[in-house]
Amino acid sequence: MAPTPLIAGNWKMNGLSDEAADRARALAGKAQASPPACAVAVCPPFTALSAVARELQGSPIAAGGQDCHAEASGAYTGSVSAEMLADLGCRYVIVGHSERRHGLGETDHLVRDKAKAALRAGLIPIICVGETLDEREAGNALMVVESQIDGSVPIEGGPVVVAYEPVWAIGTGRVPTLADVGSVHDHIRQRLCVRRGDGASIAILYGGSAKPENAAELLGVEEVGGLLVGGASLDPDSFWAMVETAQP
Ligand code: PGA
């Protein structure tokens, strides 16, 4: 069965709680005026999550975290567990974003443990993979992404979402050709089907400089099951234009 498309906004480290609540309220208003045909989620900073979750109550827009710790609780100063995110009303959590893999040295193994933690807490992990520019130019994109899928996607434990985000496309305005997006997504689908019984029904999002102007063509690529949107998700009008582009 084809997965329901998901449009997810990654707000990254932007917005104090009032601003985040205003943005969430604007999105909830748009969802009420024109109910989305796809699944929608926003992932604000931890500090704004409860204000955002409050604004999204009763709306079809879900809240998500941007990361979680692999353990449920313990002596991990500064960390937030998947259970804590679930407690705030989150449905999703992003794990393995390239800004954590490359900026903070997170490994496939750690990302898999975080994804398992999310599943344990009843959350849906959005597991990010993607090659660097050097890896793409060396012709290794498929190999890199395959090894990230094998290393970071748990084999069982509940539903997951995968996001293909080429590192060089994030926040740069550069987007791979549609053919390249298609070939990586096909490859991810094949790997997911080899590894998991539900491989055919996992939504595989594209992320990296997605915006209203390119959303339709990206969503038109076979196997692209939604978008993970950074910069363009900070503007409710832009984000909602992308939501309205996504059809089941
Ligand atoms: P971008 O970020 O849309 O600003 O490129 C995407 C992401 O990092 O998830």
Side-chain angles (χ1 to χ4, degrees):
M1 203 184 76
T4 307
L6 167 66
I7 306 294
N10 173 9
W11 295 356
K12 307 193 180 184
M13 196 173 74
N14 293 295
L16 304 183
S17 43
D18 279 355
E19 184 189 340
D22 288 349
R23 191 181 298 132
R25 195 174 316 116
L27 291 172
K30 288 176 183 292
Q32 193 171 29
S34 102
C38 61
V40 185
V42 293
C43 302
F46 291 135
T47 49
L49 256 174
S50 58
V52 166
R54 204 173 310 123
E55 295 297 337
L56 296 180
Q57 249 173 33
S59 129
I61 305 171
Q66 297 176 12
D67 180 49
C68 65
H69 197 277
E71 299 296 330
S73 62
Y76 303 104
T77 302
S79 295
V80 170
S81 71
E83 282 75 1
M84 292 167 180
L85 295 176
D87 183 45
L88 286 183
C90 287
R91 188 179 308 156
Y92 296 93
V93 59
I94 298 169
V95 294
H97 190 279
S98 78
E99 285 150 18
R100 302 195 65 90
R101 285 181 185 267
H102 295 283
L104 298 168
E106 294 198 357
T107 61
D108 284 333
H109 188 97
L110 178 61
V111 174
R112 188 176 61 230
D113 284 348
K114 290 182 173 197
K116 285 186 186 164
L119 295 169
R120 180 189 67 217
L123 301 178
I124 300 173
I126 301 175
I127 305 166
C128 302
V129 297
E131 82 285 357
T132 63
L133 189 56
D134 284 351
E135 289 163 343
R136 172 153 290 271
E137 286 175 344
N140 293 334
L142 293 182
M143 197 183 74
V144 167
V145 167
E146 176 175 323
S147 91
Q148 290 174 331
I149 292 286
D150 289 359
S152 17
V153 177
I155 291 173
E156 58 192 9
V160 302
V161 170
V162 167
Y164 168 53
E165 298 206 303
V167 178
W168 51 274
I170 295 176
T172 59
R174 295 183 63 189
V175 176
T177 64
L178 298 180
D180 284 342
V181 172
S183 86
V184 177
H185 278 242
D186 280 347
H187 200 72
I188 292 174
R189 175 71 67 210
Q190 283 169 26
R191 265 338 273 176
L192 290 174
C193 287
V194 167
R195 291 177 55 77
R196 291 182 51 119
D198 65 351
S201 65
I202 293 175
I204 308 172
L205 315 185
Y206 168 80
S209 298
K211 50 182 191 261
E213 294 75 15
N214 60 19
E217 58 184 25
L218 287 166
L219 289 166
V221 175
E222 213 184 325
E223 302 295 4
V224 171
L227 301 170
L228 180 54
V229 187
S233 72
L234 295 174
D235 173 34
D237 291 339
S238 289
F239 185 63
W240 206 254
M242 301 168 90
V243 168
E244 291 193 319
T245 306
Q247 294 298 326

